[in-house]
Amino acid sequence: MAAFLSEYFGIPEISKDKIKELMYDDIGFHCREEKVKLGIASMNIMYYMAEQLMKNKQPFILENNFEEISKAPLLKILEKYSYTAISVTLTGNYSDIYQRFAERNNSLDRHRGHVVNDSYPEKFPNRDVKCISYEAFVNGITDRGMDSFVANGPHIVIDTTDFNRMHIEKLIKRIEEYREKILLG
């Protein structure tokens, strides 16, 4: 969705996962603790890049599973540069989303650094990695505030349970309306 919106609006997309993938490939990790540190560093890099764009009054998209712990640093730079963020939350039926999550983790297209937790590059490549339980998946969303995260501006919630029922045109129209209101102040 972020890549689509980035292309549609002709603005940069900054993806925390893409940053992590570069660090997984260039630095790697030897344990879960190191992987977590790379995640924190990628968030800091993402916010640094956002701040550089804000300094130059450029629009952009931040793509991430935003959670409450990442809110304070974001709000700080939004306030510093008088930016208003439009938060778009992709949600839906947790059971359906979990099924897609599990399928994505088994996909050959999924970067293995996201799937494994003990080491990357892997000591034993292509081994099956057990997916987290449905309960842990849902608790991760709710306990970390991913479904309720809102920055400092309008909030759009999109039900992604069935991609065929999503109305991209309505999303684009709402974003354009909010952008116009924000720009008019």
Side-chain angles (χ1 to χ4, degrees):
M1 182 66 71
F4 169 81
L5 293 172
S6 170
E7 186 174 325
Y8 179 86
F9 288 111
I11 59 177
E13 169 204 3
I14 305 168
S15 167
K16 179 183 172 190
D17 276 358
K18 299 251 191 271
I19 295 168
K20 283 197 300 190
E21 289 167 10
L22 292 168
M23 291 196 300
Y24 292 160
D25 290 340
D26 290 345
I27 300 168
F29 57 86
H30 297 92
C31 62
R32 176 77 179 148
E33 182 181 327
E34 288 180 7
K35 181 179 180 179
V36 169
K37 286 181 181 179
L38 291 177
I40 292 167
S42 65
M43 178 67 74
N44 292 335
I45 291 167
M46 184 176 75
Y47 285 163
Y48 170 78
M49 294 170 70
E51 187 170 8
Q52 297 311 302
L53 290 165
M54 286 185 216
K55 281 181 185 178
N56 292 291
K57 302 188 183 335
Q58 298 297 309
F60 56 92
I61 295 173
L62 295 181
E63 188 278 324
N64 184 31
N65 289 332
F66 285 98
E67 51 191 277
E68 286 303 312
I69 196 167
S70 58
K71 192 172 191 172
L74 176 60
L75 292 177
K76 182 178 178 182
I77 59 173
L78 289 169
E79 183 178 334
K80 180 177 180 179
Y81 295 99
S82 300
Y83 258 66
T84 301
I86 301 170
S87 300
V88 178
T89 300
L90 305 180
T91 190
N93 177 285
Y94 288 159
S95 180
D96 291 337
I97 294 171
Y98 175 75
Q99 187 63 38
R100 286 198 304 257
F101 168 79
E103 288 171 9
R104 182 178 68 172
N105 272 1
N106 289 324
S107 168
L108 296 176
D109 295 332
R110 181 74 167 150
H111 192 287
R112 292 291 288 179
H114 295 296
V115 179
V116 297
N117 285 313
D118 56 349
S119 66
Y120 185 86
E122 296 173 86
K123 294 175 186 167
F124 306 102
N126 303 319
R127 67 187 156 101
D128 288 335
V129 178
K130 188 175 188 279
C131 191
I132 63 171
S133 70
Y134 173 74
E135 292 76 21
F137 176 79
V138 172
N139 289 341
I141 292 171
T142 56
D143 294 349
R144 292 161 50 193
M146 290 182 204
D147 249 7
S148 59
F149 184 94
V150 180
N152 67 344
H155 185 212
I156 302 170
V157 178
I158 303 297
D159 186 328
T160 64
T161 303
D162 182 353
F163 289 122
N164 294 321
R165 298 188 71 186
M166 288 177 45
H167 300 283
I168 299 297
E169 300 82 17
K170 287 182 182 179
L171 171 61
I172 290 169
K173 184 177 180 188
R174 288 182 68 194
I175 291 171
E176 288 173 337
E177 288 170 353
Y178 284 137
R179 280 178 68 185
E180 189 173 315
K181 287 180 184 177
I182 291 167
L183 291 173
L184 294 176

